[in-house]
Amino acid sequence: MTAIFFAGVDLGSTMTKIVIIDEKQRVTASIVKHTGAEHRRLANQVMQEVLNKAGISLNDIEYIVATGYGRINVPFADRHFTELTCHARGVSSIFPGVRLAIDIGGQDSKGLQIENGKLVDFVMNDKCAAGTGRFLEVLAGTLNLRVEDLGPLSLKAKNKVIMNSPCTVFIRQEVAGYLSNNVPVEDIVAGLHNAVAGKVAKMVRTLKIEPDVVFTGGVAKNIGVVKALEENLGCKVLVPQEPLLSGALGAAIVGQEIVIKAKSEGKPTQRGERRLEDARLFT
């Protein structure tokens, strides 16, 4: 029997993710790339790359759902859904018992209340960068560190500092002050992680905090923020093996569910144009 595939495209503000699954929701191929300025070109390029990894063509994909900040710029998608819907579905497929999902990305953070795999409520951060991946990138630059070094370094802290300002600009001044007073860098980094976790924890307390709590997004790769989030929430936090793929995985699953429903009702599945744009875009 010929395999059936479904794809989810999550075009975020900083990262673009694509997941291809089969009819049993097994991941056939996935990819994560930095989001550039030309969303439409990037979507075509990254889709071609993941198709090559899977060893299939675009026409082999039964249904494609796009989600994320730039979802309208995915020209070959059949449908578009919000990242909240897709994220909830993706997280639930990995952790069926999830009740609260926390996602911290490059530009925003959000909390999702989930019941039986469905989104029932949510909350998102304000326009302030504090509580996002961008906040950590800025402060890593101030400390002359790589973002990926922050997590392991913070675990060495003995006396994490307290960041008093809610604003990234003023926190940079606080960091400079701590450095001038010879405060260990690991204590400063642990303080920064606690500032991020504290802001996010305060935000999600408007929802029900009960296990399972799942942490996704690029910042979930930072073990220091995971630890700080657990301390601020007072409970264990679960992290997927690849925390960046939850939205794309959920989008692929949503696509599969659309097809299954259409077939059960004896209706045709409405699909978009099955064509990637000119290959010269990929050079």
Side-chain angles (χ1 to χ4, degrees), residues 133-153:
R134 179 58 182 162
F135 171 83
L136 293 175
E137 288 178 4
V138 170
L139 275 302
T142 301
L143 293 166
N144 198 28
L145 295 170
R146 298 183 306 168
V147 172
E148 55 267 35
D149 295 332
L150 296 179
L153 182 61

Side-chain angles (χ1 to χ4, degrees), residues 9-53:
V9 182
D10 181 3
L11 209 168
S13 59
T14 58
M15 303 295 289
T16 294
K17 295 80 66 177
I18 301 180
V19 171
I20 296 175
I21 62 172
D22 64 15
E23 64 272 21
K24 294 184 178 180
Q25 296 185 4
R26 295 175 299 198
V27 175
T28 302
S30 64
I31 194 168
V32 177
K33 292 279 189 176
H34 283 282
T35 298
E38 300 178 43
H39 287 180
R40 188 180 182 94
R41 172 178 175 174
L42 180 77
N44 281 273
Q45 178 180 353
V46 178
M47 189 66 192
Q48 187 62 66
E49 289 183 27
V50 77
L51 288 170
N52 291 342
K53 287 180 67 175

Side-chain angles (χ1 to χ4, degrees), residues 2 13 55 83 89 101 164 181 190 214-216 229 245 253 271:
T2 304
S13 59
E83 58 265 39
R89 194 67 192 86
N164 296 303
N181 288 318
V214 178
F215 182 20
T216 64
L229 194 56
L245 292 178
I253 293 172
R271 300 200 330 180

